[in-house]
Amino acid sequence: MNPRRILAIAYKETLQVWRDPRSLAIALLMPLMQMVLLGYGISLDIKHVPLCLYDQENSQTSREMLQDFTASGWFKTAAILGSNRAVRAAMDNATCIGALVIPVNFSRVLAQTGQAQVQAVFDGTDANTTNIATGYAQGVIAQTAATFARRWDAQHGVRPPTAGSINLQSRVWYNETLDSRNFIIPGVVAIILALVGAQLTSLTVAREWERGTMEQLISTPVTSTELLIGKLSPYFLIGLLDAAFCLLTAAFWFQVPFRGSVLTLILTTALFGIVVMGIGYLLSVRIHNQLGASQIALMLTMLPIAMLSGYTFPLDQMPAAIRAISFLVYARYYVTLLRDEFLKGSSLAEMASSIAALLAYAVAVLWLAARAFRKRLD
Amino acid sequence: MSSAATITAQKLGRSFGATAAVRDINFSIQRGEIFGFAGPDGAGKTTVMRMLAGVLRPDSGSIAVEGIDVIANPEAAKSKLSYMPQRFGLYEDLTVAENIFFYAELFSVPRKLRRARAGELLEAAGLTAFQQRLAGQLSGGMKQKLGLVCALIHTPSVLLLDEPTTGVDPVSRRDFWAILYNLRESGVTIVLSTAYMDEAERCSRLALMHAGKIHYCDTPARLKQAMPGMLLAITAADPRAVRAALADAPGVLGLLLMGDRVNVRVDDAARRAPELRAKLDARNIAFTGINRIEPAIEDVFVALVGGGAPA
Ligand SMILES: Nc1ncnc2c1ncn2[C@@H]1O[C@H](COP(=O)(O)OP(=O)(O)OP(=O)(O)O)[C@@H](O)[C@H]1O
Ligand SMILES: [Mg+2]
């Protein structure tokens, strides 16, 4: 390996990025835009879900229940209705995305048995919102139920069989304020790095083929390893800068608590950077035009990462087969590590398996990338 | 094959699918030669140059450059040679100076030598004033000269140029050839391909290529001697009419349209000139003269190889 050749390639590549508006935009603007878009846009916290109320009983107890719903802040009353048909109409014309129906014998049943049912109907078109709203509704009901249970206790001297048994604690671990942003932002950082890294590097070799500079380049004594290192190092530095920007924004702008070690954060980020850029480079070597390479890079990073890295959709709620596939999605390890570092402040030992997985990926990708490039036209 | 040969190729062949681009060709090139491959589009020139440069694998045969087996060990050969592809291969978004620096570094040219050498080459190419210009903003001729400068920055012993002067203005072409002649003086072996026959004439030896084969390979002078027959040039207002009228005249071996004249190859110039003149007069075709001329490479190519002449 000849350091002069590596430096020459790195320098040349830097000049080219600097002079190419498209690369520059990906390197500098994309992280900013994505951070704003994803950081603000995909908040899983839904406030003031428009809810229709149909209180068939209209007793003091039922009103108390409705009161709890509106006081929670998660829901706002869109309409107070008087029939099932009105509920259906309101859902149909999107006056509300959910309706709470309190049955006619609600307080009587509750008083007699200590248990009662209310019906909550949600519009399933937006499954994500519905899931979250259902969760909130259960939370509110659990709270109300607990209040009722204490009262029942006081009256009867014994615990009712079920009231208050819903335990919400598990959902708010590490994220005390129940702010989903804390959960999402580390994932956003990972997705941005994966996107920017793979996009930038997917162009680098394809560009040489497309512009006809490759034929002359491969007629020189430069080796494929020198080419790999020379070409990737400027993008690696750009990636680290982008990472620093995203991570600092996460910590200081979005105020995601950081409890881990900065050194581990830097090392794991570097490791992830290598994986991401190695994959972009691999694509670039295989696909000889820039557009094709960047499109495939986008598809290969964006889709699996968005779906299977656990950055928005919790992996432990997925079917086993899909969860198995998610182990292949390298970003999941970094997402996990970022959450460990930001929210949990986990020890190295706790993060060892994720780090090992990323390391294995990095080694494999670099090994493949160095071999993938053939200094021949055919 | 002579042992002094810098480059030897034997039974070299390469196909692309059903197209046999190069078929079992043999040649050997001596140190200090300017060796040219001349042939029309699709003759297989680029395919040969690529195989010599070690960037394309032959299907069959062998190539040795400076004693190195290019097929077994292309990387070793690459440090000895410089290759300038037919399509401009430098970075258009880098300046002239940056391109030169890049190639100097790739070939590990000592830093001290680089400045002096780049200065000389730029001067010879007339590019000294354009060092800060982006390569993409150079004219066609300047681009080719920059390609040559980059190819020469590491003092290669073999220089491979694929159609280096296509699309280059006459002045730049003269600069270009001046540099090549100088290089030959210093013992660099130059291999080039060309579709221009006037340029082919400048080579010390020439391989006439057509449809993947080398049909003749010799010095331009001997190729001309090898051409059967003699040439009569007939200048006329309507050369096509002349060609049509004389196509099957006795003693005519071939006709080649050259702008406002027709080169007629005949078995015996002294005997046929009056016959042709009479025939044209009989058909009332106006012409301004019939003169015996020395053949140019283009005539030789058509006579020896046949088919369409190169541009
Ligand atoms: N990479 C390739 N794939 C398929 N066919 C090819 C390839 N390269 C060359 N050919 C075919 O091989 C033949 C010889 O092509 P080559 O480029 O060597 O000719 P050339 O003499 O350089 O012509 P030109 O003057 O057009 O540059 C042509 O028929 C061409 O179509
Ligand atoms: Mg060609």
Side-chain angles (χ1 to χ4, degrees):
Chain A
M1 240 195 297
N2 179 329
R4 267 181 81 181
R5 289 204 285 254
I6 294 176
L7 276 177
I9 293 168
Y11 177 62
K12 180 220 90 174
E13 208 67 29
T14 312
L15 287 176
Q16 286 188 302
V17 173
W18 185 244
R19 289 174 193 164
D20 175 27
R22 178 163 151 207
S23 295
L24 214 55
I26 295 174
L28 303 178
L29 287 182
M30 203 147 105
L32 180 67
M33 277 169 41
Q34 298 278 9
M35 205 69 199
V36 171
L37 239 104
L38 298 177
Y40 281 110
I42 310 185
S43 166
L44 294 187
D45 295 326
I46 299 164
K47 297 211 168 127
H48 313 299
V49 175
L51 194 68
C52 288
L53 306 176
Y54 174 23
D55 187 351
Q56 295 178 343
E57 186 182 65
N58 203 6
S59 66
Q60 198 200 326
T61 321
S62 71
R63 280 196 298 274
E64 208 174 318
M65 173 118 225
L66 295 181
Q67 177 65 32
D68 281 350
F69 260 84
T70 38
S72 72
W74 307 125
F75 300 98
K76 71 163 196 259
T77 312
I80 295 175
L81 305 172
S83 72
N84 281 324
R85 187 181 302 152
V87 169
R88 171 155 291 264
M91 297 276 281
D92 282 349
N93 65 25
T95 310
C96 57
I97 63 165
L100 186 70
V101 183
I102 300 183
V104 70
N105 52 5
F106 175 68
S107 56
R108 189 167 46 84
V109 174
L110 186 67
Q112 281 169 3
T113 65
Q115 295 177 46
Q117 287 191 327
V118 291
Q119 189 190 13
V121 192
F122 283 101
D123 178 353
T125 0
D126 179 354
N128 212 24
T129 306
T130 304
N131 271 336
I132 296 159
T134 314
Y136 291 155
Q138 276 166 356
V140 175
I141 290 166
Q143 228 171 25
T144 314
T147 315
F148 289 166
R150 273 195 297 280
R151 213 176 293 154
W152 213 79
D153 260 2
Q155 284 167 12
H156 299 82
V158 270
R159 265 194 166 268
T162 52
S165 65
I166 303 166
N167 183 3
L168 262 185
Q169 284 311 103
S170 63
R171 290 195 71 241
V172 297
W173 272 11
Y174 309 126
N175 196 358
E176 300 80 351
T177 54
L178 241 181
D179 192 346
S180 73
R181 187 171 280 160
N182 287 351
F183 184 71
I184 297 273
I185 294 281
V188 168
V189 173
I191 206 169
I192 291 174
L193 285 186
L195 213 62
V196 172
Q199 283 286 298
L200 282 178
T201 49
S202 69
L203 300 177
T204 175
V205 180
R207 181 165 46 216
E208 306 252 7
W209 286 114
E210 201 173 289
R211 298 193 185 164
T213 53
M214 190 52 101
E215 190 168 350
Q216 189 149 4
L217 186 61
I218 60 177
S219 75
T220 72
V222 70
T223 69
S224 359
T225 315
E226 286 162 359
L227 201 65
L228 172 77
I229 301 173
K231 273 185 170 287
L232 284 193
S233 44
Y235 298 111
F236 183 67
L237 291 182
I238 293 174
L240 285 187
L241 279 180
D242 285 343
F245 165 78
C246 291
L247 292 168
L248 289 172
T249 310
F252 293 103
W253 181 259
F254 289 111
Q255 306 263 314
V256 180
F258 183 76
R259 298 173 176 131
S261 112
V262 174
L263 185 66
T264 324
L265 181 66
I266 293 173
L267 289 180
T268 48
T269 301
L271 208 52
F272 182 63
I274 291 174
V275 175
V276 163
M277 304 208 165
I279 287 177
Y281 185 87
L282 259 176
L283 287 174
S284 195
V285 167
R286 286 270 161 254
I287 301 158
H288 287 189
N289 72 78
Q290 294 189 73
L291 189 64
S294 80
Q295 293 294 313
I296 292 190
L298 190 67
M299 244 170 53
L300 279 187
T301 42
M302 199 64 184
L303 272 181
I305 293 176
M307 308 307 291
L308 295 177
S309 68
Y311 116 95
T312 43
F313 309 110
L315 290 172
D316 50 15
Q317 287 172 21
M318 294 192 173
I322 293 180
R323 221 175 332 144
I325 296 173
S326 80
F327 284 100
L328 292 175
V329 180
Y330 48 91
R332 72 164 286 166
Y333 303 105
Y334 185 57
V335 171
T336 308
L337 284 169
L338 280 180
R339 281 188 190 139
D340 286 353
E341 283 153 6
F342 268 90
L343 304 177
K344 291 191 197 169
S346 307
S347 69
L348 262 180
E350 286 168 307
M351 297 188 283
S353 66
S354 295
I355 294 179
L358 266 192
L359 193 63
Y361 245 106
V363 171
V365 164
L366 284 186
W367 187 82
L368 284 175
R371 263 149 200 78
F373 183 69
R374 292 261 158 269
K375 282 184 69 187
R376 267 194 263 123
L377 292 173
D378 47 344
Chain B
M1 296 286 157
S2 157
S3 60
T6 303
I7 302 175
T8 28
Q10 280 171 323
K11 293 205 156 273
L12 201 56
R14 171 74 208 216
S15 301
F16 298 99
T19 318
V22 170
R23 314 181 206 202
D24 280 347
I25 62 172
N26 299 291
F27 56 88
S28 94
I29 302 170
Q30 314 299 312
R31 184 175 314 284
E33 269 197 289
I34 300 186
F35 187 92
F37 288 97
D41 291 351
K45 306 181 295 291
T46 297
T47 308
V48 172
M49 299 299 269
R50 283 176 170 166
M51 292 191 289
L52 289 177
V55 298
L56 186 73
R57 254 173 191 283
D59 295 333
S60 58
S62 66
I63 311 170
V65 171
E66 298 278 358
I68 300 163
D69 180 345
V70 177
I71 297 157
N73 200 356
E75 297 308 309
K78 283 174 185 174
S79 59
K80 303 265 182 204
L81 51 83
S82 258
Y83 169 53
M84 208 174 118
Q86 182 169 0
R87 181 178 168 190
F88 183 63
L90 299 177
Y91 299 94
E92 304 213 331
D93 47 357
L94 262 51
T95 65
V96 167
E98 286 160 354
N99 270 297
I100 296 172
F101 174 79
F102 181 62
Y103 276 92
E105 291 294 289
L106 286 192
F107 282 99
S108 311
V109 177
R111 295 237 160 86
K112 280 186 198 137
L113 282 180
R114 194 186 67 224
R115 275 185 161 279
R117 187 151 176 82
E120 271 168 39
L121 289 166
L122 282 168
E123 195 60 47
L127 288 173
T128 312
F130 301 100
Q131 291 189 61
Q132 301 314 317
R133 191 178 284 193
L134 291 180
Q137 289 166 5
L138 296 175
S139 72
M142 292 202 275
K143 276 185 186 171
Q144 292 306 91
K145 286 189 286 182
L146 174 60
L148 192 58
V149 171
C150 288
L152 293 176
I153 192 78
H154 74 286
T155 336
S157 54
V158 173
L159 181 60
L160 305 171
L161 308 168
D162 193 3
E163 294 200 29
T165 59
T166 301
V168 171
D169 65 275
V171 177
S172 290
R173 218 195 274 194
R174 211 169 49 224
D175 291 347
F176 203 94
W177 274 94
I179 299 173
L180 295 190
Y181 284 133
N182 265 332
L183 279 173
R184 186 170 62 158
E185 295 303 306
S186 56
V188 177
T189 307
I190 301 166
V191 183
L192 59 86
S193 74
T194 183
Y196 292 137
M197 290 297 129
D198 53 336
E199 185 164 86
E201 215 135 350
R202 295 169 177 253
C203 298
S204 58
R205 234 151 35 95
L206 206 51
L208 303 185
M209 275 195 90
H210 182 62
K213 283 201 156 298
I214 295 180
H215 289 257
Y216 288 86
C217 181
D218 215 327
T219 63
R222 281 214 288 272
L223 286 172
K224 287 175 187 171
Q225 283 164 18
M227 187 189 81
M230 304 164 193
L231 273 192
L232 290 171
I234 304 179
T235 317
D238 186 0
R240 281 168 202 283
V242 173
R243 185 175 61 172
L246 303 181
D248 43 12
V252 170
L253 305 172
L255 295 118
L256 183 60
L257 203 60
M258 305 276 277
D260 65 344
R261 69 170 209 258
V262 185
N263 287 358
V264 186
R265 192 156 56 84
V266 292
D267 50 1
D268 180 350
R271 181 172 151 212
R272 302 296 178 192
E275 291 178 18
L276 298 183
R277 193 185 298 268
K279 187 153 196 170
L280 290 174
D281 284 340
R283 298 218 183 166
N284 259 337
I285 298 171
F287 62 97
T288 47
I290 295 191
N291 302 303
R292 167 104 195 256
I293 56 165
E294 282 307 306
I297 287 297
E298 181 149 18
D299 304 297
V300 177
F301 191 97
V302 175
L304 293 179
V305 179

